[in-house]
Amino acid sequence: MSKQLLRSGTSIGANVREAEQAESKADFIQKLSIALKEANETEYWLDLLQETKFLNNSEYIGIQIDIKELSIRLDDIGKSNWFMKNIGYSILRKN
């Protein structure tokens, strides 16, 4: 389980880094979407490690807070970019 946590946790950063060099807005959104999915998977493995006592409560809470905050930020970025790509630009063009 700890190897899965490491894999999914490091994949978040790798996908965010790839998004920084995206070839298009769609590519950017896709990379951030993958990063968010990896954050969700990381949270799953973190929960299992805590439930099986591989992590104590203070370790779990510290990491859990960080992963929740990261997930919220990735979701916000993805939603705002999706909105601009699918709705916002057409509204701006009309004005």
Side-chain angles (χ1 to χ4, degrees):
M1 283 187 286
S2 60
K3 288 182 182 181
Q4 289 295 108
L5 177 69
L6 178 63
R7 186 205 57 76
S8 62
T10 56
S11 181
I12 299 166
N15 280 290
V16 169
R17 180 67 62 95
E18 284 188 42
E20 292 172 355
Q21 302 300 317
E23 297 175 7
S24 66
K25 285 199 180 287
D27 189 32
F28 177 81
I29 293 168
Q30 177 64 22
K31 298 290 189 239
L32 286 184
S33 175
I34 293 169
L36 180 59
K37 289 176 184 179
E38 293 294 339
N40 288 331
E41 182 179 338
T42 300
E43 189 174 353
Y44 169 78
W45 292 117
L46 185 64
D47 289 345
L48 283 180
L49 286 169
Q50 193 268 340
E51 289 172 15
T52 57
K53 308 297 185 215
F54 280 96
L55 291 175
N56 65 42
N57 282 341
S58 64
E59 291 170 326
Y60 172 77
I61 291 169
I63 300 168
Q64 182 72 0
I65 290 169
D66 290 342
I67 197 69
K68 286 279 191 193
E69 183 177 327
L70 180 59
S71 295
I72 290 167
R73 289 180 184 207
L74 286 170
D75 192 43
D76 287 347
I77 293 167
K79 284 178 183 174
S80 66
N81 279 285
W82 181 91
F83 176 83
M84 288 306 290
K85 179 180 178 241
N86 293 288
I87 299 167
Y89 290 124
S90 63
I91 291 172
L92 292 174
R93 284 188 209 120
K94 290 179 183 178
N95 293 330

